Amino acid sequence: MEGMQAYGAGKAGGAFDPVTFFQQPQTILRIVSWLFSIVIFGCIANEGYINRPNEVQEYCIFNQNQNACNYGVFMGSMAFLCCVAFLALDVYFPQISSVKDRKKAVMADIGVSAFWSFMWFVGFCFLANQWQATDQNEDPLRERGDAARAAITFAFFSIFTWAGQAFLGFQRYKLGSDSALFSQEYTDPSQDAVAGSGPYTSFGSDDLESGGGGSGQAVDSVFDGTTGYQRQDY
């Protein structure tokens, strides 16, 4: 039924097809964003801190700015959780039969994806600026430089993966809102058929039921004495 395909979803209640699911562009972008968040979180959490030879306390590799490392770790972990949550929503989405609930899910996808795209843009600028201001002499062996550059690079890539998710979500929203089947006035044709069915009126019932009227006289005139039939009066 075409009406069950609101906002880009397949038929509600249909069987889950893993091959088709993982081939969808939106699913691919979510998985890629999920991997990028793991890389950013892992690089900063494991390799983003250094300490001087004569000190025990560790400093953030990004210009010794603890906020930069905290921002990267927090963003990476939260983006990881958001990707998992929306992947689960994508799996459950075809089972949502309510068009209003599907609309809310698509709008949430657009808003969250656009938010993360902006936040990764801020994170990329922040980390790149702090790395540019970092004194490279603090890490003479350059053993933390690759991790810092990897975090900055994948933060930059994450801007586009999340923006792509927002764009695909907007396409799904536009597909659902532009269709006349999903307007507020749409009703199930089967319900219209039931509602429109009224009491059956037989053809010519008024003439047959009229007492002593013209129809009764017409019947009597047919069976008159001219045809040999004698009408009997009771």
Side-chain angles (χ1 to χ4, degrees):
M1 181 177 178
E2 186 179 358
M4 304 301 291
Q5 299 179 2
Y7 296 100
K11 294 183 178 180
F16 175 69
D17 186 2
V19 177
T20 303
F21 175 75
F22 287 106
Q23 288 178 348
Q24 294 177 353
Q26 190 148 3
T27 303
I28 295 174
L29 285 178
R30 293 200 199 282
I31 294 176
V32 172
S33 300
W34 177 69
L35 294 175
F36 287 173
S37 64
I38 294 176
V39 173
I40 297 171
F41 172 83
C43 289
I44 298 178
N46 296 328
E47 303 290 337
Y49 298 89
I50 59 174
N51 63 310
R52 297 184 179 89
N54 56 349
E55 295 181 0
V56 178
Q57 183 180 1
E58 292 184 338
Y59 299 94
C60 178
I61 195 173
F62 293 98
N63 197 29
Q64 297 187 14
N65 188 345
Q66 193 69 20
N67 293 328
C69 287
N70 292 338
Y71 185 89
V73 171
F74 176 78
M75 291 290 291
S77 58
M78 293 303 298
F80 171 84
L81 296 176
C82 282
C83 288
V84 173
F86 275 98
L87 281 172
L89 179 61
D90 290 341
V91 174
Y92 179 70
F93 191 79
Q95 307 299 325
I96 303 176
S97 58
S98 173
V99 177
K100 292 183 178 180
D101 292 340
R102 291 189 180 189
K103 180 179 179 180
K104 292 178 182 179
V106 173
M107 292 181 65
D109 184 16
I110 298 173
V112 173
S113 298
F115 170 78
W116 277 109
S117 180
F118 172 75
M119 294 303 293
W120 279 124
F121 172 76
V122 174
F124 164 75
C125 295
F126 183 32
L127 295 179
N129 176 265
Q130 292 300 308
W131 177 248
Q132 187 177 8
T134 300
D135 185 4
Q136 300 299 327
N137 294 326
E138 295 178 356
D139 185 20
L141 300 179
R142 303 295 189 270
E143 57 184 3
R144 301 290 190 269
D146 293 339
R149 284 186 288 268
I152 295 173
T153 301
F154 285 103
F156 176 76
F157 291 156
S158 296
I159 299 173
F160 301 99
T161 57
W162 284 100
Q165 294 179 60
F167 175 74
L168 293 177
F170 176 75
Q171 283 188 329
R172 288 204 299 175
Y173 176 80
K174 187 177 180 181
L175 177 66
S177 60
D178 289 348
S179 176
L181 291 177
F182 312 130
S183 63
Q184 296 296 329
E185 292 78 11
Y186 173 74
T187 56
D188 192 348
S190 62
Q191 298 296 330
D192 291 341
V194 175
S197 62
Y200 175 76
T201 304
S202 61
F203 177 76
S205 60
D206 293 338
D207 295 336
L208 295 177
E209 294 178 358
S210 60
S215 61
Q217 295 176 358
V219 173
D220 292 341
S221 64
V222 173
F223 301 102
D224 58 4
T226 59
T227 59
Y229 173 76
Q230 299 296 326
R231 182 176 59 183
Q232 297 180 359
D233 296 331
Y234 296 97

